[in-house]
mmCIF file of all heavy atoms in Angstrom:
data_model
loop_
_atom_site.group_PDB
_atom_site.id
_atom_site.type_symbol
_atom_site.label_atom_id
_atom_site.label_comp_id
_atom_site.label_asym_id
_atom_site.label_seq_id
_atom_site.Cartn_x
_atom_site.Cartn_y
_atom_site.Cartn_z
ATOM 1 N N GLY A 809 -18.101 10.159 -8.133
ATOM 2 C CA GLY A 809 -18.203 11.603 -8.213
ATOM 3 C C GLY A 809 -19.731 12.081 -8.480
ATOM 4 O O GLY A 809 -19.909 12.999 -9.270
ATOM 5 N N GLY A 810 -20.666 11.385 -7.882
ATOM 6 C CA GLY A 810 -22.145 11.807 -7.961
ATOM 7 C C GLY A 810 -22.386 12.852 -6.921
ATOM 8 O O GLY A 810 -21.560 13.362 -6.252
ATOM 9 N N LEU A 811 -23.602 13.156 -6.771
ATOM 10 C CA LEU A 811 -23.971 14.275 -5.838
ATOM 11 C C LEU A 811 -23.641 13.964 -4.457
ATOM 12 O O LEU A 811 -23.139 14.827 -3.704
ATOM 13 C CB LEU A 811 -25.539 14.406 -5.850
ATOM 14 C CG LEU A 811 -26.094 15.573 -5.203
ATOM 15 C CD1 LEU A 811 -25.495 16.954 -5.404
ATOM 16 C CD2 LEU A 811 -27.711 15.813 -5.189
ATOM 17 N N ILE A 814 -19.823 14.322 -4.140
ATOM 18 C CA ILE A 814 -19.422 15.724 -4.185
ATOM 19 C C ILE A 814 -19.747 16.635 -3.029
ATOM 20 O O ILE A 814 -19.038 17.429 -2.568
ATOM 21 C CB ILE A 814 -19.916 16.359 -5.612
ATOM 22 C CG1 ILE A 814 -19.336 15.786 -6.759
ATOM 23 C CG2 ILE A 814 -19.882 17.953 -5.518
ATOM 24 C CD1 ILE A 814 -20.029 16.217 -8.040
ATOM 25 N N ASN A 837 -19.165 13.911 -17.320
ATOM 26 C CA ASN A 837 -20.392 13.321 -16.614
ATOM 27 C C ASN A 837 -20.212 13.386 -15.109
ATOM 28 O O ASN A 837 -20.983 12.826 -14.233
ATOM 29 C CB ASN A 837 -20.540 11.868 -16.961
ATOM 30 C CG ASN A 837 -21.104 11.603 -18.422
ATOM 31 O OD1 ASN A 837 -21.724 12.574 -18.868
ATOM 32 N ND2 ASN A 837 -20.751 10.540 -19.012
ATOM 33 N N LEU A 838 -19.322 14.209 -14.597
ATOM 34 C CA LEU A 838 -19.108 14.501 -13.165
ATOM 35 C C LEU A 838 -20.384 15.044 -12.629
ATOM 36 O O LEU A 838 -20.882 15.992 -13.166
ATOM 37 C CB LEU A 838 -17.942 15.507 -12.930
ATOM 38 C CG LEU A 838 -17.614 15.701 -11.411
ATOM 39 C CD1 LEU A 838 -17.155 14.529 -10.731
ATOM 40 C CD2 LEU A 838 -16.598 16.824 -11.487
ATOM 41 N N GLY A 839 -20.834 14.468 -11.550
ATOM 42 C CA GLY A 839 -22.175 14.877 -10.999
ATOM 43 C C GLY A 839 -23.202 13.806 -11.012
ATOM 44 O O GLY A 839 -24.093 13.785 -10.363
ATOM 45 N N GLY A 840 -22.930 12.760 -11.867
ATOM 46 C CA GLY A 840 -23.552 11.481 -11.874
ATOM 47 C C GLY A 840 -25.035 11.628 -12.318
ATOM 48 O O GLY A 840 -25.403 12.542 -13.229
ATOM 49 N N LEU A 841 -25.945 10.829 -11.871
ATOM 50 C CA LEU A 841 -27.344 10.623 -12.368
ATOM 51 C C LEU A 841 -28.227 11.889 -12.003
ATOM 52 O O LEU A 841 -29.205 12.094 -12.671
ATOM 53 C CB LEU A 841 -27.938 9.440 -11.789
ATOM 54 C CG LEU A 841 -29.211 8.842 -12.478
ATOM 55 C CD1 LEU A 841 -28.986 8.377 -13.935
ATOM 56 C CD2 LEU A 841 -29.746 7.700 -11.703
ATOM 57 N N ALA A 842 -27.682 12.657 -11.027
ATOM 58 C CA ALA A 842 -28.476 13.859 -10.650
ATOM 59 C C ALA A 842 -28.649 14.733 -11.769
ATOM 60 O O ALA A 842 -29.643 15.428 -11.943
ATOM 61 C CB ALA A 842 -27.779 14.535 -9.439
ATOM 62 N N LYS A 843 -27.714 14.796 -12.689
ATOM 63 C CA LYS A 843 -27.747 15.741 -13.839
ATOM 64 C C LYS A 843 -28.916 15.438 -14.755
ATOM 65 O O LYS A 843 -29.354 16.272 -15.514
ATOM 66 C CB LYS A 843 -26.388 15.640 -14.524
ATOM 67 C CG LYS A 843 -26.220 16.725 -15.653
ATOM 68 C CD LYS A 843 -24.829 16.711 -16.414
ATOM 69 C CE LYS A 843 -23.843 17.127 -15.450
ATOM 70 N NZ LYS A 843 -22.511 17.231 -16.044
ATOM 71 N N LYS A 844 -29.332 14.092 -14.854
ATOM 72 C CA LYS A 844 -30.331 13.759 -15.658
ATOM 73 C C LYS A 844 -31.721 13.572 -14.982
ATOM 74 O O LYS A 844 -32.715 13.386 -15.645
ATOM 75 C CB LYS A 844 -30.025 12.253 -16.274
ATOM 76 C CG LYS A 844 -28.788 12.311 -17.269
ATOM 77 C CD LYS A 844 -28.632 10.843 -17.751
ATOM 78 C CE LYS A 844 -27.400 10.826 -18.736
ATOM 79 N NZ LYS A 844 -27.223 9.552 -19.205
ATOM 80 N N SER A 944 -26.894 19.924 -10.533
ATOM 81 C CA SER A 944 -25.717 19.272 -10.617
ATOM 82 C C SER A 944 -24.537 20.160 -11.079
ATOM 83 O O SER A 944 -23.393 20.238 -10.537
ATOM 84 C CB SER A 944 -25.751 18.035 -11.561
ATOM 85 O OG SER A 944 -24.558 17.292 -11.609
ATOM 86 N N HIS A 1034 -27.849 4.566 -13.195
ATOM 87 C CA HIS A 1034 -26.584 4.891 -13.736
ATOM 88 C C HIS A 1034 -25.883 3.542 -14.155
ATOM 89 O O HIS A 1034 -25.982 2.575 -13.540
ATOM 90 C CB HIS A 1034 -25.734 5.588 -12.683
ATOM 91 C CG HIS A 1034 -24.476 6.165 -13.291
ATOM 92 N ND1 HIS A 1034 -23.440 5.478 -13.851
ATOM 93 C CD2 HIS A 1034 -24.166 7.520 -13.434
ATOM 94 C CE1 HIS A 1034 -22.534 6.449 -14.261
ATOM 95 N NE2 HIS A 1034 -23.008 7.598 -14.106
#
Side-chain angles (χ1 to χ4, degrees):
L811 182 60
I814 291 173
N837 291 336
L838 183 62
L841 198 63
K843 188 177 291 187
K844 295 183 178 181
S944 180
H1034 199 289

